[in-house]
């Protein structure tokens, strides 16, 4: 029978909690044992283990009495840590407390509740919500497990991965946590009250919030296993505790911040290299080119052989050398599935390391490798290394890491892994397959940072050097709008790096004329503007080409708008790279849902149309057509730019805001109507920001010694830390980097460049900064070359600039 405890409740500040320590002792006191890291409580039918992994991180493990109660985590990297814990047992409740977090376990029911150090309610299980439903899985006894958590009135909840439902606040919502193309399942709940819950289960899980609590209900589990993350009231604190538990995100190479060109697919090495050459001839910046599938050949029996078997790619090493000679980088598509005539298929099949389910392409029957098996991961890397990485390839596009499966799913799950059925671990497949590539490449060389672009993820995957993308989304305006909350939810779940196919992957259903249709051009322009403020700016899709020169000539509206935002992306590189360091060194978040920075502004609780990009920039993408009219999808649209349209933008309370393009200052806490000509995305800078900008350049590092511009946005005090290193390799992990703290004192009108901290090989001893004070007349938008500036010669010592 399922376990269903009953408990008397007391309401404290709107949150139901277990009776306090002074309550009457139950008729039968149950057993408990304390240890250096926590406490174990045994009831009549249940064992509850509470362990502190840090003062702000608590693991709760529950299993039926007498069961083994073991769960080896694929996600958690650290173990429980002895600390300064205090123990108390009174009134039928056992309490164990760190300096920041109190945990109380009811000895009769096993109900667990969490409090701050001051005894204020933090989080609590929903009484009566625990379920262990017996079942068998591949003949082995196990359970379907469920646990719900109480939420306070008005409490917002975020996270849970990436989903295409348009929600930011998941209060009152249901979400199926199951890896699929365009959906990323990450069982991390992030509360607006400043705590998080990581549900450590890898099977398909239904999340549902209702008056019965916010519940995780997992298909398979020998126990209930979750972690309470006490962010001490802040969203950044929750993310920091999650990364502390599951691993920090390493630095990507600096060149990944540039513009990337891709499509489905470049059919020859001449075409691939020719795209890079064309960008160079047009003097449009470009840093990366992506080689999609069928470089192995067009016969699906050779699917994903990892070898260049296609005769249109006669010299793959020469192709990579040519791309490098053009000062660009290349990544390549690899899959977890293999055709039956490939060498890697035979090696994996010999050791029974292939799953047997239907995946894409459906015919002939390609098969997915068992990434949960270390030997299979070794074989996979051996082929990638020998056939691709040895060519000098710069990174990986690991496609279909869900892995992509075709219905029905129920028989697929009966495949066996070293950890049990695929059903038991299916959601963790992207974690282990990217882990295999990351760890093997790190073991092969430390001279080149691992960069993996992939469309699926699980908790902990940030440590594998992965950049996520939103999958094969449709080319529609409503889909563009939904990319924003999808990205922000993933960030609130702790995974910091995300992007999407500019223009959407599937345009043919909506735009059969493709790039020749002005309606598609308008969508593509607005999507590219949004992409300039994501972790990776990458054009990709099927059916119609996506290169900038396909959209017209210089001087035409689409071409010019696209080029403008590519240049802006390159100017923002110092800001972006420093923010990436903040992600690595301080568990930061790049694309920030507004509740992260403005938790006291109720208007942003569920605002999914805007976000902060780092600490300074407020971004409001345009997600509706404004200038193109199209009677139906079979007729190209007609443009009308005679009247400039507007976009409402909410400026969060608690700050003043400066229009990036005009320098106009606005008070927070209001909605303004921002004019949005086709080449303008509403972009505001938080007053007090110091925004470092680099030079215009054709590729990352072209003008490494050029002056940097420091834009100061007055109206409040502020600071920013500029980070620099060798731009690739892992020497930064051993201290080879430098930082300069930039501090703005608004009352004194003084910008202070602090003494440089640290050093790295090749660091310039002297550099020039152009300091610009932004107002409505000077130093705005991209036309800063004529803005009045104070030129500062910086040699590493503190400098104060009066403005």
């Amino acid at each position: 029978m399922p376990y269903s405890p009953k408990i008397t409740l007391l309401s404290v500040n709107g949150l139901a909690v277990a009776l306090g320590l002074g309550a009457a002792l139950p008729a039968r006191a149950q057993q408990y044992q304390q240890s250096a890291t926590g406490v174990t409580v045994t009831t009549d039918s249940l064992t509850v283990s509470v362990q502190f992994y840090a003062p702000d991180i608590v693991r709760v493990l529950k299993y039926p009495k007498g069961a083994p109660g073991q769960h080896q985590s694929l996600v958690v990297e650290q173990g429980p840590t002895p600390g300064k814990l205090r123990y108390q047992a009174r009134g039928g409740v056992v309490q164990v407390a760190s300096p920041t977090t109190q945990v109380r376990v009811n000895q009769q029911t096993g109900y667990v509740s969490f409090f701050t150090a001051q005894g204020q309610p933090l989080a609590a299980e929903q009484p009566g919500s625990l379920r262990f439903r017996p079942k068998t899985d591949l003949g082995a006894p196990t359970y379907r497990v469920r646990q719900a958590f109480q939420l306070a009135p008005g409490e917002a909840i975020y996270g849970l991965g990436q989903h295409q439902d348009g929600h930011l606040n998941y209060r009152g919502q249901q979400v199926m946590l199951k890896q699929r193309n365009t959906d990323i399942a990450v069982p991390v709940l992030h509360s607006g009250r400043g705590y998080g819950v990581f549900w450590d289960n890898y099977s398909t899980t239904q999340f549902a919030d209702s008056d019965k609590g916010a519940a995780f209900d997992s298909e398979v589990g020998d126990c209930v296993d979750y972690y309470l993350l006490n962010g001490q009231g802040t969203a950044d604190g929750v993310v920091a505790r999650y990364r502390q538990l599951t691993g920090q995100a390493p630095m990507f190479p600096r060149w990944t911040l540039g513009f990337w060109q891709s499509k489905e697919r470049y059919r020859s090495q001449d075409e691939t290299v020719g795209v890079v050459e064309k960008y160079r001839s047009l003097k449009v910046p470009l840093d990366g080119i992506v080689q999609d599938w069928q470089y192995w050949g067009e016969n699906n029996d050779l699917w994903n052989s990892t070898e260049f078997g296609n005769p249109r790619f006669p010299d793959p090493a020469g192709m990579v050398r040519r791309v490098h000679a053009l000062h660009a980088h290349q990544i390549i598509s690899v899959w977890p599935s293999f055709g039956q005539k490939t060498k890697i298929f035979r090696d994996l099949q010999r050791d029974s390391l292939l799953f047997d389910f239907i995946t894409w392409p459906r015919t002939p029957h390609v098969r997915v490798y068992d990434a949960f098996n270390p030997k299979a991961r070794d074989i996979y890397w051996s082929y990638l290394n020998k056939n691709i990485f040895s060519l000098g390839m710069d990174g990986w596009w690991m496609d279909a890491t869900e892995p992509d499966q075709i219905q029905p799913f129920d028989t697929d799950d009966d495949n066996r892994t070293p950890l049990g059925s695929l059903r038991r671990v299916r959601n963790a497949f992207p974690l282990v397959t990217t882990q295999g590539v990351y760890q093997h490449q790190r073991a092969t060389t430390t001279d080149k940072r691992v960069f993996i672009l992939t469309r699926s993820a699980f908790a902990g995957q940030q440590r594998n050097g992965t950049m996520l993308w939103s999958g094969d989304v449709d080319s529609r305006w409503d889909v563009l709008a939904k990319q924003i909350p999808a990205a922000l939810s993933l960030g609130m779940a702790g995974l910091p790096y995300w992007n999407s196919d500019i223009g959407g992957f599937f345009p043919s259903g909506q735009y059969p004329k493709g790039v020749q249709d002005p309606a598609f051009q308008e969508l593509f322009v607005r999507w590219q503007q949004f992409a300039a403020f994501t972790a990776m700016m990458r054009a990709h899709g099927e059916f119609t080409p996506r290169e900038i020169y396909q959209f017209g000539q210089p001087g035409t509206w689409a071409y010019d708008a696209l080029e403008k935002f590519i240049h802006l992306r390159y100017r923002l590189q110092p800001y972006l790279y420093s923010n990436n360091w903040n992600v690595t060194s301080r568990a930061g978040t790049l694309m920030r849902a507004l509740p992260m920075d403005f938790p006291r502004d109720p208007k942003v609780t569920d605002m999914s149309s805007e976000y902060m990009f780092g600490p300074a920039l407020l971004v409001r993408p345009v997600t509706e057509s404004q200038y193109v009219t199209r009677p139906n999808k079979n007729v190209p649209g007609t443009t009308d730019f005679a009247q400039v349209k507007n976009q409402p933008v909410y400026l969060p309370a608690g700050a003043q805001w400066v229009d990036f393009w005009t320098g106009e200052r606005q008070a927070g806490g209001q909605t303004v109507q921002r004019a949005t000509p086709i080449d303008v995305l509403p972009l505001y800078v938080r007053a007090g920001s110091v925004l470092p900008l680099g030079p215009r350049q054709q590729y990352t590092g072209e003008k490494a010694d050029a002056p940097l511009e420091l834009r100061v946005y007055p109206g409040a005090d502020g600071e920013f830390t500029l980070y620099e290193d060798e731009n690739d390799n892992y020497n930064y992990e051993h201290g080879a980097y430098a930082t300069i703290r930039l501090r703005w004192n608004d009352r004194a009108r003084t910008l202070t460049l602090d003494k440089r901290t640290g050093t790295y090989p090749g660091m310039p001893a002297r550099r020039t900064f152009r300091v610009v004070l932004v107002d409505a007349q000077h130093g705005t938008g991209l036309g800063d070359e004529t803005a009045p500036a104070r030129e500062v010669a910086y040699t590493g010592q503190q400098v104060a600039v009066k403005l």
Side-chain angles (χ1 to χ4, degrees):
M1 294 294 293
Y3 175 70
S4 181
K6 303 295 183 183
I7 187 169
T8 304
L9 296 182
L10 174 69
S11 180
V12 180
N13 292 339
L15 183 65
V17 299
L19 280 172
L21 298 178
L25 186 68
R28 286 189 304 173
Q30 303 300 316
Q31 298 177 347
Y32 73 92
Q33 293 179 325
Q34 67 184 54
S35 68
T37 59
V39 67
T40 299
V41 175
T42 304
T43 74
D44 289 338
S45 58
L46 183 70
T47 299
V48 181
S49 173
V50 174
Q51 294 180 307
F52 278 81
Y53 279 52
D56 297 322
I57 303 174
V58 184
R59 182 189 189 189
V60 175
L61 185 66
K62 293 185 175 185
Y63 48 93
K65 188 176 179 180
Q70 296 178 348
H71 179 217
Q72 185 65 41
S73 180
L74 294 172
V75 176
V76 175
E77 289 205 317
Q78 73 174 86
T81 304
K84 296 180 179 179
L85 301 181
R86 303 185 309 276
Y87 302 86
Q88 190 175 20
R90 189 170 61 187
V93 175
V94 176
Q95 174 175 293
V96 56
S98 74
T100 64
T101 311
Q102 298 178 9
V103 185
R104 301 177 189 175
V105 185
N106 186 291
Q107 291 180 258
Q108 187 176 30
T109 64
Y111 166 84
V112 181
S113 51
F114 306 88
F115 300 79
T116 67
Q118 294 75 34
Q120 295 298 311
L122 181 65
E125 297 175 348
Q126 179 77 27
S129 65
L130 178 64
R131 297 285 189 274
F132 287 99
R133 299 187 185 276
K135 63 182 296 184
T136 59
D137 185 37
L138 292 186
T142 186
Y143 303 94
R144 184 182 184 106
V145 295
R146 179 184 187 273
Q147 177 71 69
F149 300 88
Q150 290 180 239
L151 300 178
E155 179 178 354
I157 52 176
Y158 308 103
L160 302 177
Q162 171 203 276
H163 306 285
Q164 301 293 332
D165 51 21
H167 295 299
L168 181 64
N169 181 2
Y170 277 93
R171 195 68 191 267
Q173 303 298 325
Q174 295 186 14
V175 185
M176 179 66 76
L177 299 181
K178 186 174 189 176
Q179 309 294 15
R180 288 174 288 194
N181 186 355
T182 76
D183 278 286
I184 297 175
V186 183
V188 175
L189 180 151
H190 187 138
S191 168
R193 290 167 57 94
Y195 71 86
V197 175
F198 164 46
W199 178 257
D200 198 5
N201 185 289
Y202 318 132
S203 66
T204 298
T205 297
Q206 179 71 49
F207 175 85
D209 176 56
S210 68
D211 56 1
K212 297 180 181 179
F216 291 96
D217 188 341
S218 293
E219 189 174 350
V220 182
D222 298 331
C223 57
V224 164
D225 193 355
Y226 70 86
Y227 294 79
L228 188 284
L229 312 171
N230 182 359
Q232 298 197 48
T234 71
D236 284 314
V238 174
V239 173
R241 299 293 78 75
Y242 159 83
R243 301 256 186 88
Q244 180 182 348
L245 181 69
T246 66
Q248 301 297 337
M251 289 286 286
F252 288 136
R254 186 168 183 140
W255 45 262
T256 61
L257 298 177
F259 179 68
W260 283 78
Q261 184 61 60
S262 178
K263 76 171 183 179
E264 190 289 298
R265 62 200 175 278
Y266 296 123
R267 297 176 180 270
S268 71
Q269 69 181 56
D270 289 340
E271 184 182 6
T272 301
V273 174
V275 170
V276 183
E277 292 174 334
K278 181 69 172 181
Y279 270 85
R280 292 288 178 256
S281 68
L282 290 171
K283 299 191 181 305
V284 176
L286 179 75
D287 257 288
I289 188 77
V290 183
Q291 181 60 56
D292 205 343
W293 57 306
Q294 288 199 347
Y295 57 87
W296 51 75
E298 297 181 5
N299 184 341
N300 284 340
D301 282 330
L302 298 175
W303 176 265
N304 195 38
S305 68
T306 75
E307 298 178 285
F308 280 85
N310 190 323
R312 297 189 181 96
F313 294 84
D315 182 14
M319 174 182 66
V320 175
R321 286 195 302 271
R322 180 58 182 154
V323 169
H324 288 171
L326 291 165
H327 303 286
H329 295 79
Q330 186 172 12
I331 66 173
I332 193 166
S333 171
V334 294
W335 294 61
S337 53
F338 309 95
Q340 296 184 23
K341 291 185 178 179
T342 62
K343 297 175 185 176
I344 187 172
F345 180 98
R346 291 195 294 269
D347 281 356
L348 291 165
Q349 185 181 47
R350 182 176 57 247
D351 293 316
S352 301
L353 298 174
L354 292 167
F355 293 138
D356 188 17
F357 56 75
I358 305 300
T359 186
W360 190 86
R362 186 188 295 268
T363 54
H365 186 185
V366 303
R367 294 174 64 181
V368 173
Y369 86 116
D370 180 2
F372 296 97
N373 192 307
K375 185 174 183 179
R377 296 196 298 267
D378 290 345
I379 293 172
Y380 188 45
W381 172 254
S382 70
Y383 276 85
L384 295 185
N385 186 33
K386 176 179 64 176
N387 296 330
I388 297 177
F389 192 60
S390 62
L391 302 175
M393 197 67 66
D394 300 298
W396 310 100
W397 178 11
M398 297 183 68
D399 208 339
T401 49
E402 302 83 24
D404 187 22
Q405 299 186 23
I406 298 174
Q407 299 280 12
F409 286 105
D410 52 351
T411 56
D412 300 346
D413 285 345
D414 286 336
N415 280 266
R416 191 178 297 274
T417 79
L419 304 178
S421 69
L422 182 60
R423 179 181 298 104
R424 178 182 291 270
V425 294
R426 65 151 51 239
N427 279 342
F429 187 94
L431 171 68
V432 293
T433 189
T434 57
Q435 175 181 302
V437 173
Y438 176 78
Q439 291 181 345
H440 278 102
Q441 183 176 323
R442 288 290 310 254
T444 302
T445 179
T446 60
D447 293 336
K448 180 179 291 188
R449 295 177 192 168
V450 181
F451 180 71
I452 298 172
L453 174 66
T454 187
R455 80 177 184 196
S456 193
F458 195 68
Q461 194 165 313
Q462 72 283 343
R463 66 180 182 248
N464 293 341
T466 53
M467 169 76 70
L468 307 178
W469 103 91
S470 59
D472 300 339
V473 296
D474 288 337
S475 302
R476 301 200 315 263
W477 287 100
D478 63 311
V479 173
L480 170 58
K482 290 175 182 177
Q483 299 314 290
I484 303 170
L488 302 180
S489 296
L490 200 65
M492 293 283 263
L495 298 172
Y497 292 122
W498 177 96
N499 74 118
S500 65
D501 294 344
I502 297 176
F505 184 75
F506 290 119
S508 54
Q510 295 292 320
Y511 302 100
K513 301 296 184 181
V515 75
Q516 303 304 316
D517 187 344
F520 177 70
Q521 294 179 8
E522 183 186 25
L523 174 68
F524 193 91
V525 164
R526 293 304 194 187
W527 208 310
Q528 177 143 310
Q529 291 171 356
F530 164 56
F533 299 94
T534 65
M536 185 181 189
M537 189 180 187
R538 179 185 56 89
H540 180 70
E542 60 106 55
F543 172 67
T544 192
R546 308 300 178 98
E547 298 81 20
I548 188 172
Y549 44 85
Q550 307 289 350
F551 290 83
Q553 302 294 324
T556 57
W557 64 270
Y559 184 102
D560 287 354
L562 294 172
E563 183 183 26
K564 176 179 178 177
F565 277 82
I566 295 174
H567 281 297
L568 176 56
R569 176 74 174 192
Y570 279 81
R571 301 245 25 228
L572 287 169
Q573 273 209 6
Y575 177 76
L576 288 169
Y577 199 56
S578 298
N579 274 290
N580 281 11
W581 171 244
N582 184 62
V583 169
T584 294
S585 63
R586 301 184 63 186
T589 301
L590 181 61
M591 295 182 69
R592 305 174 60 80
L594 295 185
M596 297 187 75
D597 292 307
F598 306 97
R600 294 182 179 86
D601 187 344
K603 292 185 178 180
V604 306
T605 299
D606 196 17
M607 184 165 286
S608 60
S609 58
E610 304 176 19
Y611 61 98
M612 293 296 294
F613 191 57
L617 300 177
L618 174 68
V619 185
R620 202 316 184 181
V622 177
T623 55
E624 293 180 347
S625 176
Q626 294 180 321
Y627 297 105
V628 180
T629 301
R630 189 173 61 150
N632 62 70
K633 69 179 184 180
N634 295 313
V635 178
T638 57
T639 60
D640 181 2
F641 296 106
Q643 182 178 357
V644 175
K645 303 299 177 66
N646 292 328
Q647 174 73 62
V649 183
Y650 178 71
L651 304 177
Q656 293 185 16
W657 299 94
V658 182
D659 189 309
F660 177 82
W661 306 104
T662 68
E664 180 185 3
R665 187 181 302 178
Q666 302 272 8
Q670 64 169 326
T671 297
V672 299
Q673 294 294 326
R674 179 61 171 90
T676 49
I678 192 62
D679 66 340
V680 169
L681 167 145
L683 183 63
Y684 289 82
V685 187
R686 188 172 184 166
S689 296
V690 181
L691 182 64
L693 298 178
R696 287 183 177 241
Q697 53 190 333
Q698 295 301 298
Y699 55 86
T700 298
E702 181 193 18
K703 301 177 181 178
D705 297 329
L708 294 186
E709 182 175 317
L710 302 179
R711 291 193 181 180
V712 178
Y713 293 81
D717 293 341
E719 66 176 65
F720 186 82
T721 299
L722 181 67
Y723 171 85
E724 297 176 308
D725 65 12
E726 295 174 87
N727 301 322
D728 209 339
N729 76 45
Y730 287 97
N731 291 339
Y732 74 89
E733 293 182 341
H734 308 289
Y737 63 88
T739 59
I740 304 172
R741 186 182 177 206
L742 312 170
R743 295 181 290 117
W744 169 248
N745 185 313
D746 199 57
R747 175 175 292 182
R749 311 291 279 187
T750 300
L751 177 68
T752 301
L753 288 66
D754 282 348
K755 182 178 180 180
R756 182 164 45 205
T757 300
T759 186
Y760 59 90
M763 183 183 76
R766 176 189 178 94
R767 78 173 327 147
T768 300
F769 291 103
R770 298 180 67 252
V771 181
V772 176
L773 184 68
V774 175
D775 56 32
Q777 286 77 41
H778 302 112
T780 57
L782 294 178
D784 59 315
E785 291 81 359
T786 60
R790 289 281 302 277
E791 193 164 287
V792 177
Y794 181 77
T795 60
Q797 300 303 310
Q798 186 180 90
V799 177
V801 184
K802 183 82 171 179
L803 297 176

